[in-house]
Amino acid sequence: MKPTLQLVLDCADPHELAAWWAETLEWEVEPSNEDFIRRMIADGHATEADTREFRGTLVWREMAALREPGGPGRILFQLVPEPKTVKNRMHLDLHLGPDGHGTDQEGRDRARDGLVARGATFLYSERQGPFEWHTLADPEGNEFCVA
């Protein structure tokens, strides 16, 4: 069987960070199945402590997920107790395409400025040969690039 790839980000608030990345990527937060969650609690497979309410919906406390609309992409956001303290060993790259966002410096700058306005932190800009990018951090400090 061929494996599938799912990216997992450790974080302090999976649902808030998933919502931030959903807007950033124009992806969808996977909907919560409240009936299933209640059934798992009623059957003794989970407890109320395993859940929380997020924006008026009952959700699993420790997990949230995004899906790429119409595509295979999936990102899982997982609650961890410790804060991020060191640089990521792996990061996301957001590649701006020819769909009007622009791949030139002006397009990258617009994207950077929009992300900063939504809670990202600008870290630095870099260039290597013909390639240029901005490095930012999401609201929980996870680094990513806009190229």
Side-chain angles (χ1 to χ4, degrees), residues 10-147:
D10 293 344
C11 53
D13 191 333
H15 298 281
E16 281 294 341
L17 199 57
W20 190 88
W21 276 104
E23 184 177 343
T24 298
L25 297 173
E26 298 178 13
W27 286 21
E28 301 166 347
V29 174
E30 290 184 358
S32 178
N33 184 335
E34 293 181 88
D35 290 337
F36 175 76
I37 293 172
R38 287 186 184 97
R39 193 168 53 251
M40 291 298 100
I41 293 169
D43 291 347
H45 300 294
T47 68
E48 293 288 338
D50 296 323
T51 69
R52 68 179 267 205
E53 192 167 300
F54 180 73
R55 298 183 182 174
T57 301
L58 183 66
V59 297
W60 293 114
R61 186 175 68 83
E62 296 191 5
M63 299 277 181
L66 300 185
R67 265 201 202 278
E68 178 183 17
R74 188 166 193 252
I75 302 174
L76 183 66
F77 297 82
Q78 174 178 280
L79 178 68
V80 295
E82 69 280 350
K84 181 181 177 303
T85 58
V86 298
K87 182 175 175 24
N88 297 17
R89 294 290 296 184
M90 181 170 49
H91 66 271
L92 302 177
D93 274 358
L94 306 183
H95 285 261
L96 304 177
D99 61 355
H101 292 292
T103 56
D104 59 356
Q105 183 66 42
E106 187 176 299
R108 281 189 301 279
D109 290 351
R110 273 194 310 274
R112 175 201 60 209
D113 295 347
L115 290 162
V116 168
R118 292 186 39 251
T121 301
F122 172 69
L123 301 175
Y124 57 88
S125 296
E126 192 67 54
R127 172 186 220 144
Q128 183 174 25
F131 305 105
E132 297 180 49
W133 63 92
H134 296 307
T135 300
L136 296 95
D138 72 16
E140 289 202 14
N142 301 297
E143 293 95 353
F144 66 96
C145 295
V146 176

